Amino acid sequence: MKIVLVEDSEVIRKQLVRLLAEVSGVSVIGQADNEDAALELIRGTSPDVVLVDIGLAEGSGMRVLERARQIGFAGKLFVLSNRDPDFYEMLCARHGADAFYDKAHSLDRLVADLQTAADAKHAS
């Protein structure tokens, strides 16, 4: 399963790449730190999942969600953020996200959901 990672912090991107390397059947095929680079990667690589932070170096993760759907991206859009999930989870869903994960408290759930998706893709 191919993943594009959209995160403005290089440190966090590296941590996530290490974490995702432990998920069987998952490969990070591209990384971006801003909105335009994210959309270029999505268009050029056709990932299965885009894992996006709300706050980016340039642009916005919310706009990545919207624009990805506008260009016909049919894969999963997962948001990984440290923003208040009580507020942002619903907002992200309205902008096209399939799931919202809190960076501090939901990494185990993210890994489990990605493993489930990778297993399902492999089985099909």
Side-chain angles (χ1 to χ4, degrees), residues 35-83:
E35 183 179 327
D36 289 337
L39 271 294
E40 188 174 314
L41 272 173
I42 292 167
R43 280 188 199 102
T45 63
S46 301
D48 301 296
V49 175
V50 177
L51 184 57
V52 61
D53 185 15
I54 294 172
L56 299 176
E58 293 176 23
S60 142
M62 291 295 206
R63 290 279 302 141
V64 170
L65 298 173
E66 290 176 353
R67 290 176 65 194
R69 293 300 186 211
Q70 288 170 355
I71 64 169
F73 178 70
K76 298 289 184 186
L77 292 171
F78 290 171
V79 175
L80 181 61
S81 181
N82 59 4
R83 307 244 176 124

Side-chain angles (χ1 to χ4, degrees), residues 4-121:
V4 164
L5 179 57
V6 184
E7 165 66 55
D8 62 323
S9 167
E10 184 177 353
V11 171
I12 293 174
R13 275 196 320 270
K14 286 180 180 179
Q15 290 172 342
L16 289 170
V17 167
R18 281 194 300 273
L19 176 71
L20 297 174
E22 298 176 15
V23 181
S24 177
V26 167
S27 176
V28 176
I29 60 166
Q31 300 175 43
D33 67 354
N34 67 71
E35 183 179 327
D36 289 337
L39 271 294
E40 188 174 314
L41 272 173
I42 292 167
R43 280 188 199 102
T45 63
S46 301
D48 301 296
V49 175
V50 177
L51 184 57
V52 61
D53 185 15
I54 294 172
L56 299 176
E58 293 176 23
S60 142
M62 291 295 206
R63 290 279 302 141
V64 170
L65 298 173
E66 290 176 353
R67 290 176 65 194
R69 293 300 186 211
Q70 288 170 355
I71 64 169
F73 178 70
K76 298 289 184 186
L77 292 171
F78 290 171
V79 175
L80 181 61
S81 181
N82 59 4
R83 307 244 176 124
D84 178 13
D86 291 333
F87 177 78
Y88 280 95
E89 186 169 7
M90 196 176 310
L91 184 61
C92 289
R94 283 197 304 254
H95 284 83
D98 295 293
F100 182 95
Y101 302 90
D102 184 300
K103 284 181 184 176
H105 304 290
S106 301
L107 289 180
D108 289 342
R109 185 169 57 92
L110 169 65
V111 168
D113 289 352
L114 288 172
Q115 187 65 70
T116 298
D119 291 346
K121 182 171 177 61

